[in-house]
Amino acid sequence: MKKTALITGASSGFGHACAKLFALNGFNLVLVARRENRLKALAAELKAGTQVHTISLDLRDSAACLKAFEAIPESFKDIDVLINNAGLALGQEPAYRTQIDDWQTMVDTNISALLRVTRYFLPSMVERNSGHIVNIASIAGSWPYPGGNTYGATKAFVQQFTRGLKADLLGTNIRVSEISPGMAETEFSQVRYKQDDHKAAQVYQGTQPLTAEDIADIVYWTTSVPKHVNINSVEVMPVCQAWGPFAVHREQQ
Ligand SMILES: NC(=O)c1ccc[n+]([C@@H]2O[C@H](COP(=O)([O-])OP(=O)(O)OC[C@H]3O[C@@H](n4cnc5c(N)ncnc54)[C@H](OP(=O)(O)O)[C@@H]3O)[C@@H](O)[C@H]2O)c1
């Protein structure tokens, strides 16, 4: 029987590439994002024979999530792989200048929505004693940078929550993995800089960033290792990226 993967944030970037790769590898798919046209277009281009159920909603809306998840057709209900990928960074201002609404949106999307989706689908995995949750965090969850304040903190939450899940699931066959990508070229920077295309393009100028397909390959790999192997965490950067030196502020002499 075909397995089913549920991918949040499937309308773009990593989620979109994961949908294509999992379809190629014989999965049926439940695809979630706000932009319905994108999800429909993706569903139409997937490998023939792939069964797809699309859910277009804002994952921050708990009532809409409950309604949509309850309405998932029976044949898609048993989720084998849950990819908690939907998320975003908004702005890069220092904490004392940032928009509080941006912080709230990041917390609501990167943390609360991820918790909501996980809490909904996990009990059925436990009941079936089978499943895999892959959470997309970020190197920003481990390594701070100026203006990364709340975004980094939400991704640190994802990293630690993943470890907590693994602890809770000991004694079951359910696997839990967290992937922390570095710089990857998707719509991420357009969203972060609020559709300022020039600023978004500058992020990748003169570099060879990771691609969505690079991340999809890693996500798929974590799910395809032997059943007794749990990839806890993967941190990945493009070759052109590294950490900076510690910053030290010096008074003028
Ligand atoms: N690109 C990078 O450099 C990078 C690095 C590390 C980690 N990440 C993380 O990787 C994940 C995927 O990002 P990406 O790079 O693929 O960016 P992306 O191209 O902007 O994709 C983000 C996806 O999340 C969905 N999404 C955002 N808010 C949503 C909401 N409220 N409800 C439903 N869906 C929502 C978007 O769909 P709609 O807009 O259609 O709703 C879109 O499909 C994110 O968690 C991001 O933080 C990215």
Side-chain angles (χ1 to χ4, degrees), residues 8-16 32-36 38 57-60 84-89 109-110 113 136-140 151 155 179-189 191 204 212:
T8 69
S11 61
S12 162
F14 302 164
H16 192 274
V32 187
R34 288 167 297 187
R35 287 170 290 181
E36 186 173 17
R38 291 276 194 102
L57 53 62
D58 188 328
L59 283 161
R60 291 170 296 169
N84 276 319
N85 161 75
L88 76 174
T109 312
N110 301 356
I136 305 299
S138 167
I139 57 167
Y151 177 65
K155 293 304 189 177
I179 296 167
S180 284
M183 182 174 66
E185 190 165 7
T186 59
E187 292 176 21
F188 179 82
S189 293
V191 172
Y204 310 109

mmCIF file of all heavy atoms in Angstrom, residues 8-16 32-36 38 57-60 84-89 109-110 113 136-140 151 155 179-189 191 204 212, ligand 1:
data_model
loop_
_atom_site.group_PDB
_atom_site.id
_atom_site.type_symbol
_atom_site.label_atom_id
_atom_site.label_comp_id
_atom_site.label_asym_id
_atom_site.label_seq_id
_atom_site.Cartn_x
_atom_site.Cartn_y
_atom_site.Cartn_z
ATOM 1 N N THR A 8 3.416 20.646 5.170
ATOM 2 C CA THR A 8 2.936 22.020 5.332
ATOM 3 C C THR A 8 3.896 22.960 4.597
ATOM 4 O O THR A 8 5.099 22.704 4.508
ATOM 5 C CB THR A 8 2.821 22.421 6.818
ATOM 6 O OG1 THR A 8 4.136 22.525 7.387
ATOM 7 C CG2 THR A 8 1.984 21.438 7.613
ATOM 8 N N GLY A 9 3.329 24.028 4.054
ATOM 9 C CA GLY A 9 4.151 24.963 3.278
ATOM 10 C C GLY A 9 4.555 24.366 1.945
ATOM 11 O O GLY A 9 5.693 24.529 1.497
ATOM 12 N N ALA A 10 3.602 23.697 1.294
ATOM 13 C CA ALA A 10 3.919 22.991 0.039
ATOM 14 C C ALA A 10 3.791 23.887 -1.188
ATOM 15 O O ALA A 10 4.073 23.447 -2.299
ATOM 16 C CB ALA A 10 3.012 21.770 -0.100
ATOM 17 N N SER A 11 3.384 25.140 -1.003
ATOM 18 C CA SER A 11 3.164 25.997 -2.175
ATOM 19 C C SER A 11 4.454 26.605 -2.716
ATOM 20 O O SER A 11 4.447 27.242 -3.759
ATOM 21 C CB SER A 11 2.182 27.118 -1.809
ATOM 22 O OG SER A 11 2.723 27.909 -0.768
ATOM 23 N N SER A 12 5.566 26.415 -2.002
ATOM 24 C CA SER A 12 6.799 27.089 -2.395
ATOM 25 C C SER A 12 8.000 26.396 -1.751
ATOM 26 O O SER A 12 7.836 25.613 -0.810
ATOM 27 C CB SER A 12 6.681 28.544 -1.923
ATOM 28 O OG SER A 12 7.916 29.189 -1.878
ATOM 29 N N GLY A 13 9.195 26.716 -2.255
ATOM 30 C CA GLY A 13 10.442 26.355 -1.585
ATOM 31 C C GLY A 13 10.583 24.886 -1.209
ATOM 32 O O GLY A 13 10.312 23.986 -2.012
ATOM 33 N N PHE A 14 11.025 24.651 0.029
ATOM 34 C CA PHE A 14 11.340 23.287 0.478
ATOM 35 C C PHE A 14 10.117 22.366 0.374
ATOM 36 O O PHE A 14 10.232 21.205 -0.027
ATOM 37 C CB PHE A 14 11.806 23.283 1.940
ATOM 38 C CG PHE A 14 13.006 24.133 2.250
ATOM 39 C CD1 PHE A 14 13.310 24.471 3.570
ATOM 40 C CD2 PHE A 14 13.844 24.606 1.249
ATOM 41 C CE1 PHE A 14 14.407 25.253 3.879
ATOM 42 C CE2 PHE A 14 14.951 25.399 1.546
ATOM 43 C CZ PHE A 14 15.228 25.723 2.874
ATOM 44 N N GLY A 15 8.963 22.885 0.796
ATOM 45 C CA GLY A 15 7.752 22.057 0.825
ATOM 46 C C GLY A 15 7.361 21.614 -0.576
ATOM 47 O O GLY A 15 6.982 20.450 -0.802
ATOM 48 N N HIS A 16 7.478 22.536 -1.527
ATOM 49 C CA HIS A 16 7.151 22.264 -2.928
ATOM 50 C C HIS A 16 8.083 21.171 -3.469
ATOM 51 O O HIS A 16 7.640 20.200 -4.100
ATOM 52 C CB HIS A 16 7.316 23.577 -3.704
ATOM 53 C CG HIS A 16 6.767 23.575 -5.088
ATOM 54 N ND1 HIS A 16 7.498 23.132 -6.161
ATOM 55 C CD2 HIS A 16 5.561 23.967 -5.574
ATOM 56 C CE1 HIS A 16 6.777 23.263 -7.263
ATOM 57 N NE2 HIS A 16 5.585 23.760 -6.928
ATOM 58 N N VAL A 32 -0.460 21.316 2.240
ATOM 59 C CA VAL A 32 -1.079 22.421 2.988
ATOM 60 C C VAL A 32 -0.321 23.728 2.750
ATOM 61 O O VAL A 32 0.914 23.750 2.811
ATOM 62 C CB VAL A 32 -1.070 22.118 4.508
ATOM 63 C CG1 VAL A 32 -1.858 23.184 5.278
ATOM 64 C CG2 VAL A 32 -1.607 20.725 4.810
ATOM 65 N N ALA A 33 -1.066 24.789 2.495
ATOM 66 C CA ALA A 33 -0.519 26.163 2.417
ATOM 67 C C ALA A 33 -1.710 27.096 2.207
ATOM 68 O O ALA A 33 -2.838 26.629 2.023
ATOM 69 C CB ALA A 33 0.481 26.307 1.274
ATOM 70 N N ARG A 34 -1.443 28.408 2.220
ATOM 71 C CA ARG A 34 -2.559 29.340 2.003
ATOM 72 C C ARG A 34 -2.890 29.479 0.517
ATOM 73 O O ARG A 34 -4.043 29.592 0.153
ATOM 74 C CB ARG A 34 -2.199 30.723 2.571
ATOM 75 C CG ARG A 34 -2.196 30.771 4.077
ATOM 76 C CD ARG A 34 -1.540 32.032 4.591
ATOM 77 N NE ARG A 34 -0.134 32.081 4.208
ATOM 78 C CZ ARG A 34 0.737 32.981 4.614
ATOM 79 N NH1 ARG A 34 0.352 33.938 5.428
ATOM 80 N NH2 ARG A 34 1.999 32.937 4.231
ATOM 81 N N ARG A 35 -1.884 29.479 -0.357
ATOM 82 C CA ARG A 35 -2.141 29.796 -1.773
ATOM 83 C C ARG A 35 -2.664 28.570 -2.529
ATOM 84 O O ARG A 35 -1.887 27.711 -2.981
ATOM 85 C CB ARG A 35 -0.867 30.336 -2.423
ATOM 86 C CG ARG A 35 -0.540 31.760 -1.960
ATOM 87 C CD ARG A 35 0.814 32.217 -2.404
ATOM 88 N NE ARG A 35 1.879 31.516 -1.704
ATOM 89 C CZ ARG A 35 3.186 31.737 -1.901
ATOM 90 N NH1 ARG A 35 3.558 32.632 -2.783
ATOM 91 N NH2 ARG A 35 4.087 31.062 -1.219
ATOM 92 N N GLU A 36 -3.996 28.564 -2.671
ATOM 93 C CA GLU A 36 -4.666 27.407 -3.260
ATOM 94 C C GLU A 36 -4.231 27.167 -4.706
ATOM 95 O O GLU A 36 -4.020 26.022 -5.113
ATOM 96 C CB GLU A 36 -6.183 27.637 -3.205
ATOM 97 C CG GLU A 36 -6.968 26.429 -3.664
ATOM 98 C CD GLU A 36 -8.462 26.595 -3.453
ATOM 99 O OE1 GLU A 36 -8.916 27.744 -3.262
ATOM 100 O OE2 GLU A 36 -9.161 25.569 -3.501
ATOM 101 N N ARG A 38 -1.438 27.729 -6.150
ATOM 102 C CA ARG A 38 -0.116 27.076 -6.168
ATOM 103 C C ARG A 38 -0.249 25.572 -5.866
ATOM 104 O O ARG A 38 0.419 24.740 -6.480
ATOM 105 C CB ARG A 38 0.796 27.692 -5.116
ATOM 106 C CG ARG A 38 1.229 29.117 -5.388
ATOM 107 C CD ARG A 38 2.436 29.125 -6.317
ATOM 108 N NE ARG A 38 3.065 30.431 -6.326
ATOM 109 C CZ ARG A 38 4.181 30.725 -5.659
ATOM 110 N NH1 ARG A 38 4.789 29.820 -4.927
ATOM 111 N NH2 ARG A 38 4.693 31.938 -5.735
ATOM 112 N N LEU A 57 -5.269 26.778 3.642
ATOM 113 C CA LEU A 57 -5.686 27.517 4.838
ATOM 114 C C LEU A 57 -4.485 28.194 5.470
ATOM 115 O O LEU A 57 -3.335 27.889 5.135
ATOM 116 C CB LEU A 57 -6.371 26.594 5.854
ATOM 117 C CG LEU A 57 -5.715 25.325 6.343
ATOM 118 C CD1 LEU A 57 -4.412 25.546 7.076
ATOM 119 C CD2 LEU A 57 -6.675 24.625 7.303
ATOM 120 N N ASP A 58 -4.810 29.100 6.383
ATOM 121 C CA ASP A 58 -3.775 29.739 7.184
ATOM 122 C C ASP A 58 -3.594 28.890 8.439
ATOM 123 O O ASP A 58 -4.528 28.755 9.240
ATOM 124 C CB ASP A 58 -4.233 31.168 7.538
ATOM 125 C CG ASP A 58 -3.119 31.959 8.207
ATOM 126 O OD1 ASP A 58 -2.292 31.350 8.916
ATOM 127 O OD2 ASP A 58 -3.085 33.187 8.009
ATOM 128 N N LEU A 59 -2.414 28.321 8.587
ATOM 129 C CA LEU A 59 -2.167 27.397 9.701
ATOM 130 C C LEU A 59 -2.251 28.079 11.068
ATOM 131 O O LEU A 59 -2.277 27.414 12.093
ATOM 132 C CB LEU A 59 -0.798 26.744 9.533
ATOM 133 C CG LEU A 59 -0.735 25.619 8.497
ATOM 134 C CD1 LEU A 59 0.705 25.356 8.079
ATOM 135 C CD2 LEU A 59 -1.369 24.340 9.026
ATOM 136 N N ARG A 60 -2.308 29.417 11.073
ATOM 137 C CA ARG A 60 -2.452 30.117 12.361
ATOM 138 C C ARG A 60 -3.892 30.074 12.861
ATOM 139 O O ARG A 60 -4.151 30.418 14.010
ATOM 140 C CB ARG A 60 -2.009 31.585 12.213
ATOM 141 C CG ARG A 60 -0.513 31.727 11.983
ATOM 142 C CD ARG A 60 -0.162 33.148 11.614
ATOM 143 N NE ARG A 60 -0.769 33.530 10.350
ATOM 144 C CZ ARG A 60 -0.816 34.771 9.863
ATOM 145 N NH1 ARG A 60 -0.285 35.760 10.537
ATOM 146 N NH2 ARG A 60 -1.380 35.021 8.695
ATOM 147 N N ASN A 84 6.710 19.118 8.920
ATOM 148 C CA ASN A 84 6.344 20.421 9.472
ATOM 149 C C ASN A 84 7.323 21.449 8.927
ATOM 150 O O ASN A 84 8.382 21.690 9.513
ATOM 151 C CB ASN A 84 6.435 20.382 11.001
ATOM 152 C CG ASN A 84 5.189 19.817 11.644
ATOM 153 O OD1 ASN A 84 4.071 20.105 11.226
ATOM 154 N ND2 ASN A 84 5.386 19.003 12.664
ATOM 155 N N ASN A 85 6.949 22.028 7.794
ATOM 156 C CA ASN A 85 7.881 22.891 7.072
ATOM 157 C C ASN A 85 7.422 24.347 6.988
ATOM 158 O O ASN A 85 8.254 25.255 6.937
ATOM 159 C CB ASN A 85 8.057 22.297 5.657
ATOM 160 C CG ASN A 85 8.618 23.289 4.673
ATOM 161 O OD1 ASN A 85 9.804 23.601 4.701
ATOM 162 N ND2 ASN A 85 7.765 23.826 3.802
ATOM 163 N N ALA A 86 6.110 24.596 7.016
ATOM 164 C CA ALA A 86 5.614 25.980 6.847
ATOM 165 C C ALA A 86 6.250 26.883 7.897
ATOM 166 O O ALA A 86 6.311 26.523 9.074
ATOM 167 C CB ALA A 86 4.094 26.018 6.983
ATOM 168 N N GLY A 87 6.717 28.013 7.469
ATOM 169 C CA GLY A 87 7.344 28.924 8.417
ATOM 170 C C GLY A 87 7.909 30.120 7.691
ATOM 171 O O GLY A 87 7.923 30.173 6.455
ATOM 172 N N LEU A 88 8.361 31.075 8.460
ATOM 173 C CA LEU A 88 8.868 32.309 7.853
ATOM 174 C C LEU A 88 9.668 33.149 8.842
ATOM 175 O O LEU A 88 9.542 32.995 10.058
ATOM 176 C CB LEU A 88 7.695 33.163 7.311
ATOM 177 C CG LEU A 88 6.828 33.949 8.302
ATOM 178 C CD1 LEU A 88 5.848 34.825 7.540
ATOM 179 C CD2 LEU A 88 6.084 33.080 9.276
ATOM 180 N N ALA A 89 10.516 34.001 8.248
ATOM 181 C CA ALA A 89 11.156 35.087 8.996
ATOM 182 C C ALA A 89 10.518 36.368 8.485
ATOM 183 O O ALA A 89 10.205 36.482 7.299
ATOM 184 C CB ALA A 89 12.655 35.094 8.734
ATOM 185 N N THR A 109 3.201 31.118 13.563
ATOM 186 C CA THR A 109 3.402 30.196 12.434
ATOM 187 C C THR A 109 4.452 29.136 12.768
ATOM 188 O O THR A 109 4.199 27.935 12.633
ATOM 189 C CB THR A 109 3.867 30.980 11.175
ATOM 190 O OG1 THR A 109 3.020 32.103 10.980
ATOM 191 C CG2 THR A 109 3.840 30.090 9.940
ATOM 192 N N ASN A 110 5.624 29.609 13.203
ATOM 193 C CA ASN A 110 6.756 28.680 13.354
ATOM 194 C C ASN A 110 6.619 27.790 14.591
ATOM 195 O O ASN A 110 7.164 26.685 14.612
ATOM 196 C CB ASN A 110 8.082 29.455 13.451
ATOM 197 C CG ASN A 110 8.345 30.314 12.221
ATOM 198 O OD1 ASN A 110 7.586 30.288 11.270
ATOM 199 N ND2 ASN A 110 9.410 31.094 12.261
ATOM 200 N N ALA A 113 1.566 26.909 15.131
ATOM 201 C CA ALA A 113 0.967 26.096 14.066
ATOM 202 C C ALA A 113 1.645 24.726 13.994
ATOM 203 O O ALA A 113 0.979 23.696 13.804
ATOM 204 C CB ALA A 113 1.072 26.829 12.724
ATOM 205 N N ILE A 136 11.221 21.234 10.187
ATOM 206 C CA ILE A 136 12.223 22.103 9.555
ATOM 207 C C ILE A 136 12.515 23.269 10.505
ATOM 208 O O ILE A 136 11.650 24.109 10.777
ATOM 209 C CB ILE A 136 11.746 22.636 8.181
ATOM 210 C CG1 ILE A 136 11.351 21.470 7.255
ATOM 211 C CG2 ILE A 136 12.848 23.492 7.560
ATOM 212 C CD1 ILE A 136 12.452 20.478 6.928
ATOM 213 N N ALA A 137 13.725 23.271 11.014
ATOM 214 C CA ALA A 137 14.171 24.363 11.895
ATOM 215 C C ALA A 137 15.059 25.286 11.068
ATOM 216 O O ALA A 137 14.710 25.641 9.935
ATOM 217 C CB ALA A 137 14.896 23.782 13.104
ATOM 218 N N SER A 138 16.220 25.651 11.586
ATOM 219 C CA SER A 138 17.141 26.545 10.864
ATOM 220 C C SER A 138 18.451 26.624 11.638
ATOM 221 O O SER A 138 18.454 26.456 12.872
ATOM 222 C CB SER A 138 16.547 27.955 10.781
ATOM 223 O OG SER A 138 17.530 28.887 10.355
ATOM 224 N N ILE A 139 19.522 26.949 10.938
ATOM 225 C CA ILE A 139 20.768 27.225 11.668
ATOM 226 C C ILE A 139 20.577 28.421 12.606
ATOM 227 O O ILE A 139 21.278 28.539 13.605
ATOM 228 C CB ILE A 139 21.980 27.470 10.730
ATOM 229 C CG1 ILE A 139 21.721 28.622 9.761
ATOM 230 C CG2 ILE A 139 22.362 26.202 9.993
ATOM 231 C CD1 ILE A 139 22.982 29.106 9.046
ATOM 232 N N ALA A 140 19.587 29.267 12.295
ATOM 233 C CA ALA A 140 19.310 30.429 13.168
ATOM 234 C C ALA A 140 18.841 29.990 14.555
ATOM 235 O O ALA A 140 18.869 30.777 15.495
ATOM 236 C CB ALA A 140 18.262 31.333 12.519
ATOM 237 N N TYR A 151 13.042 35.151 15.115
ATOM 238 C CA TYR A 151 13.082 34.043 14.153
ATOM 239 C C TYR A 151 13.965 32.922 14.702
ATOM 240 O O TYR A 151 13.557 31.756 14.753
ATOM 241 C CB TYR A 151 13.607 34.520 12.790
ATOM 242 C CG TYR A 151 13.730 33.373 11.798
ATOM 243 C CD1 TYR A 151 12.606 32.695 11.356
ATOM 244 C CD2 TYR A 151 14.990 32.949 11.340
ATOM 245 C CE1 TYR A 151 12.712 31.628 10.481
ATOM 246 C CE2 TYR A 151 15.093 31.889 10.458
ATOM 247 C CZ TYR A 151 13.958 31.229 10.028
ATOM 248 O OH TYR A 151 14.057 30.165 9.175
ATOM 249 N N LYS A 155 13.040 28.941 15.970
ATOM 250 C CA LYS A 155 13.662 27.738 15.404
ATOM 251 C C LYS A 155 14.409 26.948 16.480
ATOM 252 O O LYS A 155 14.523 25.720 16.389
ATOM 253 C CB LYS A 155 14.582 28.121 14.243
ATOM 254 C CG LYS A 155 13.814 28.671 13.041
ATOM 255 C CD LYS A 155 12.745 27.703 12.552
ATOM 256 C CE LYS A 155 12.100 28.115 11.241
ATOM 257 N NZ LYS A 155 11.126 27.143 10.738
ATOM 258 N N ILE A 179 15.654 19.189 10.796
ATOM 259 C CA ILE A 179 16.643 19.617 9.803
ATOM 260 C C ILE A 179 16.821 21.127 9.915
ATOM 261 O O ILE A 179 15.839 21.876 9.889
ATOM 262 C CB ILE A 179 16.200 19.205 8.386
ATOM 263 C CG1 ILE A 179 16.161 17.671 8.323
ATOM 264 C CG2 ILE A 179 17.145 19.758 7.324
ATOM 265 C CD1 ILE A 179 15.484 17.111 7.139
ATOM 266 N N SER A 180 18.058 21.539 10.080
ATOM 267 C CA SER A 180 18.371 22.962 10.226
ATOM 268 C C SER A 180 19.192 23.442 9.030
ATOM 269 O O SER A 180 20.420 23.315 9.014
ATOM 270 C CB SER A 180 19.154 23.189 11.526
ATOM 271 O OG SER A 180 18.274 23.122 12.629
ATOM 272 N N PRO A 181 18.515 24.004 8.019
ATOM 273 C CA PRO A 181 19.246 24.496 6.849
ATOM 274 C C PRO A 181 19.855 25.863 7.105
ATOM 275 O O PRO A 181 19.340 26.668 7.879
ATOM 276 C CB PRO A 181 18.169 24.608 5.765
ATOM 277 C CG PRO A 181 16.945 23.943 6.305
ATOM 278 C CD PRO A 181 17.061 24.027 7.794
ATOM 279 N N GLY A 182 20.948 26.109 6.391
ATOM 280 C CA GLY A 182 21.497 27.454 6.284
ATOM 281 C C GLY A 182 20.874 28.132 5.078
ATOM 282 O O GLY A 182 19.748 27.796 4.668
ATOM 283 N N MET A 183 21.633 29.046 4.474
ATOM 284 C CA MET A 183 21.096 29.879 3.390
ATOM 285 C C MET A 183 20.635 29.055 2.182
ATOM 286 O O MET A 183 21.440 28.344 1.568
ATOM 287 C CB MET A 183 22.192 30.861 2.951
ATOM 288 C CG MET A 183 21.740 31.813 1.873
ATOM 289 S SD MET A 183 22.991 33.070 1.518
ATOM 290 C CE MET A 183 24.302 32.095 0.826
ATOM 291 N N ALA A 184 19.368 29.176 1.878
ATOM 292 C CA ALA A 184 18.804 28.463 0.728
ATOM 293 C C ALA A 184 17.960 29.445 -0.070
ATOM 294 O O ALA A 184 17.234 30.263 0.512
ATOM 295 C CB ALA A 184 17.939 27.308 1.215
ATOM 296 N N GLU A 185 18.037 29.345 -1.388
ATOM 297 C CA GLU A 185 17.296 30.290 -2.224
ATOM 298 C C GLU A 185 15.892 29.761 -2.516
ATOM 299 O O GLU A 185 15.719 28.790 -3.258
ATOM 300 C CB GLU A 185 18.041 30.593 -3.530
ATOM 301 C CG GLU A 185 17.388 31.749 -4.261
ATOM 302 C CD GLU A 185 18.263 32.341 -5.357
ATOM 303 O OE1 GLU A 185 19.333 31.760 -5.635
ATOM 304 O OE2 GLU A 185 17.862 33.372 -5.925
ATOM 305 N N THR A 186 14.932 30.399 -1.884
ATOM 306 C CA THR A 186 13.505 30.083 -2.066
ATOM 307 C C THR A 186 12.790 31.437 -2.035
ATOM 308 O O THR A 186 13.425 32.463 -2.267
ATOM 309 C CB THR A 186 12.999 29.215 -0.887
ATOM 310 O OG1 THR A 186 13.199 29.956 0.320
ATOM 311 C CG2 THR A 186 13.750 27.881 -0.784
ATOM 312 N N GLU A 187 11.524 31.439 -1.670
ATOM 313 C CA GLU A 187 10.828 32.729 -1.503
ATOM 314 C C GLU A 187 11.061 33.315 -0.110
ATOM 315 O O GLU A 187 10.499 34.352 0.251
ATOM 316 C CB GLU A 187 9.327 32.559 -1.774
ATOM 317 C CG GLU A 187 9.060 32.256 -3.230
ATOM 318 C CD GLU A 187 7.593 31.986 -3.534
ATOM 319 O OE1 GLU A 187 6.712 32.404 -2.758
ATOM 320 O OE2 GLU A 187 7.340 31.349 -4.571
ATOM 321 N N PHE A 188 11.877 32.608 0.696
ATOM 322 C CA PHE A 188 12.130 32.990 2.086
ATOM 323 C C PHE A 188 12.518 34.465 2.229
ATOM 324 O O PHE A 188 11.959 35.180 3.075
ATOM 325 C CB PHE A 188 13.240 32.076 2.623
ATOM 326 C CG PHE A 188 13.648 32.339 4.039
ATOM 327 C CD1 PHE A 188 12.929 31.827 5.107
ATOM 328 C CD2 PHE A 188 14.792 33.083 4.319
ATOM 329 C CE1 PHE A 188 13.319 32.058 6.421
ATOM 330 C CE2 PHE A 188 15.192 33.323 5.627
ATOM 331 C CZ PHE A 188 14.456 32.804 6.674
ATOM 332 N N SER A 189 13.466 34.929 1.410
ATOM 333 C CA SER A 189 13.955 36.308 1.577
ATOM 334 C C SER A 189 12.941 37.328 1.057
ATOM 335 O O SER A 189 12.837 38.432 1.591
ATOM 336 C CB SER A 189 15.305 36.490 0.873
ATOM 337 O OG SER A 189 16.276 35.714 1.544
ATOM 338 N N VAL A 191 9.807 36.988 1.390
ATOM 339 C CA VAL A 191 8.849 37.103 2.501
ATOM 340 C C VAL A 191 9.484 37.923 3.626
ATOM 341 O O VAL A 191 8.874 38.851 4.154
ATOM 342 C CB VAL A 191 8.430 35.697 3.001
ATOM 343 C CG1 VAL A 191 7.598 35.799 4.282
ATOM 344 C CG2 VAL A 191 7.663 34.950 1.916
ATOM 345 N N TYR A 204 21.528 36.524 -1.992
ATOM 346 C CA TYR A 204 22.137 35.386 -2.697
ATOM 347 C C TYR A 204 23.204 35.818 -3.714
ATOM 348 O O TYR A 204 23.836 34.963 -4.328
ATOM 349 C CB TYR A 204 21.035 34.589 -3.419
ATOM 350 C CG TYR A 204 19.886 34.260 -2.497
ATOM 351 C CD1 TYR A 204 18.646 34.889 -2.635
ATOM 352 C CD2 TYR A 204 20.051 33.346 -1.460
ATOM 353 C CE1 TYR A 204 17.602 34.598 -1.767
ATOM 354 C CE2 TYR A 204 19.017 33.056 -0.585
ATOM 355 C CZ TYR A 204 17.801 33.688 -0.742
ATOM 356 O OH TYR A 204 16.768 33.409 0.121
ATOM 357 N N ALA A 212 16.096 24.340 -2.872
ATOM 358 C CA ALA A 212 14.974 23.615 -2.244
ATOM 359 C C ALA A 212 15.147 22.112 -2.454
ATOM 360 O O ALA A 212 14.838 21.307 -1.569
ATOM 361 C CB ALA A 212 13.661 24.103 -2.847
HETATM 362 N N1 LIG B 1 15.267 29.419 2.771
HETATM 363 C C1 LIG B 1 16.098 29.438 3.796
HETATM 364 O O1 LIG B 1 17.202 30.022 3.734
HETATM 365 C C2 LIG B 1 15.741 28.717 5.076
HETATM 366 C C3 LIG B 1 16.765 28.366 5.939
HETATM 367 C C4 LIG B 1 16.464 27.698 7.118
HETATM 368 C C5 LIG B 1 15.156 27.355 7.396
HETATM 369 N N2 LIG B 1 14.158 27.712 6.552
HETATM 370 C C6 LIG B 1 12.794 27.310 6.928
HETATM 371 O O2 LIG B 1 12.309 26.411 5.953
HETATM 372 C C7 LIG B 1 10.885 26.440 5.916
HETATM 373 C C8 LIG B 1 10.435 26.597 4.478
HETATM 374 O O3 LIG B 1 10.893 27.850 4.003
HETATM 375 P P1 LIG B 1 11.271 28.124 2.485
HETATM 376 O O4 LIG B 1 12.678 28.553 2.458
HETATM 377 O O5 LIG B 1 10.835 27.004 1.619
HETATM 378 O O6 LIG B 1 10.387 29.462 2.249
HETATM 379 P P2 LIG B 1 9.176 29.778 1.274
HETATM 380 O O7 LIG B 1 9.558 29.498 -0.128
HETATM 381 O O8 LIG B 1 8.748 31.172 1.624
HETATM 382 O O9 LIG B 1 8.043 28.738 1.722
HETATM 383 C C9 LIG B 1 7.350 28.886 2.938
HETATM 384 C C10 LIG B 1 6.076 28.056 2.881
HETATM 385 O O10 LIG B 1 5.360 28.202 4.140
HETATM 386 C C11 LIG B 1 3.992 28.460 3.867
HETATM 387 N N3 LIG B 1 3.379 29.253 4.938
HETATM 388 C C12 LIG B 1 3.900 30.364 5.544
HETATM 389 N N4 LIG B 1 3.015 30.842 6.433
HETATM 390 C C13 LIG B 1 1.923 30.029 6.398
HETATM 391 C C14 LIG B 1 0.681 30.012 7.078
HETATM 392 N N5 LIG B 1 0.368 30.943 7.991
HETATM 393 N N6 LIG B 1 -0.215 29.025 6.794
HETATM 394 C C15 LIG B 1 0.084 28.091 5.875
HETATM 395 N N7 LIG B 1 1.257 28.037 5.204
HETATM 396 C C16 LIG B 1 2.151 29.012 5.455
HETATM 397 C C17 LIG B 1 4.014 29.227 2.535
HETATM 398 O O11 LIG B 1 2.794 29.053 1.854
HETATM 399 P P3 LIG B 1 1.682 30.186 1.606
HETATM 400 O O12 LIG B 1 2.375 31.516 1.559
HETATM 401 O O13 LIG B 1 1.046 29.780 0.324
HETATM 402 O O14 LIG B 1 0.771 30.042 2.768
HETATM 403 C C18 LIG B 1 5.123 28.491 1.784
HETATM 404 O O15 LIG B 1 4.600 27.355 1.156
HETATM 405 C C19 LIG B 1 10.477 27.574 6.850
HETATM 406 O O16 LIG B 1 10.096 27.030 8.091
HETATM 407 C C20 LIG B 1 11.745 28.403 6.985
HETATM 408 O O17 LIG B 1 11.785 29.098 8.213
HETATM 409 C C21 LIG B 1 14.424 28.361 5.387
#
